[in-house]
Amino acid sequence: MNSWDAGLAGLLVGTMGVSLLSNALVLLCLLHSADIRRQAPALFTLNLTCGNLLCTVLNMPLTLAGVVAQRQPAGDRLCRLAAFLDTFLATNSMLSMAALSIDRWVAVVFPLSYRAKMRLRDAALMVAYTWLHALAFPAAALALSWLGFHQLYASCTLCSRRPDERLRFAVFTGAFHALSFLLSFVVLCCTYLKVLKVARFHCKRIDVITMQTLVLLVDIHPSVRERCLEEQRRRRQRATKKISTFIGTFLVCFAPYVITRLVELSSSVPIGSHWGVLSKCLAYSKAASDPFVYSLLRYQYRKSCKEILNRLLHRRSLHSSGLVGDSHSQNILPVSE
């Protein structure tokens, strides 16, 4: 194993560690907080988190073994199962992000009727659709024997070893990425850009009201006026930054792998094995970034984390004080005798 392989293996190990801890923390927050569970987005977050954990526990270790051993890391049956899960979980992750973007679009565009339009039942139907959509392609690939170990990515995924099926496999791969990656990307762009447009419109209305108020308050100190205007600019920048993060992480993590899969169909363009594994690692890194992008940086999740930490520290302090009390009583008893 050369330095490139060692670096890729280290990247995989780091991604696995961050993904496992962060997604487990999101799951703990969902279990701990009833307020989070009552909201419709909790179902989308739960679906995304469980998928990320499955990918971390099952697919990433096999890819790591493939990188280290430079060969198929498991038997054919296990590798086909891992390839089925890899295709299903990647599609489910993309569609879950699209579902979260639709939820936020409804919340911003229809704030007064959001609870009527996005109930838990509606969210459950959307999650059921993502599962059916995500299951369709790996089921078809399993029936056509297009699941196995792919040396270029050192992982069990979609692949075809028969030259006479190259055209059919190319059409299948193109349709798969069009109805998973491209569809989710279009939904993300349409919904979040609409959210940004509505948010900027509301900011402009607030700016007009604020400026009218500041004009009327002629005796207001200039520093107060500057702070108000600065807060308005920060509000606009926060909205733009959040939406850029949602769309940017999706592209950075998934686009290199999808483009590599499509370029791979053309035999005239050579692809290095290290780039293939690196693009796969970038796709895996989405499982590590999702908890921070969609959950842990939000106020409700941060509050739930603090409550969990305080409860653990409180139990530990009670346990330690109980031990101290016991030892103190044991020291006193002989003296009293």
Side-chain angles (χ1 to χ4, degrees), residues 153 170 173-175 177 257-266 271:
Y153 307 101
T173 304
H177 290 301
Y257 178 69
V258 172
I259 293 172
T260 305
R261 293 301 309 239
L262 295 176
V263 171
E264 178 200 349
L265 299 174
S266 174
I271 300 175

Side-chain angles (χ1 to χ4, degrees), residues 182-194:
L182 185 60
L183 175 63
S184 301
F185 178 66
V186 170
V187 172
L188 285 171
C189 288
C190 292
T191 53
Y192 281 133
L193 290 179
K194 181 64 176 178

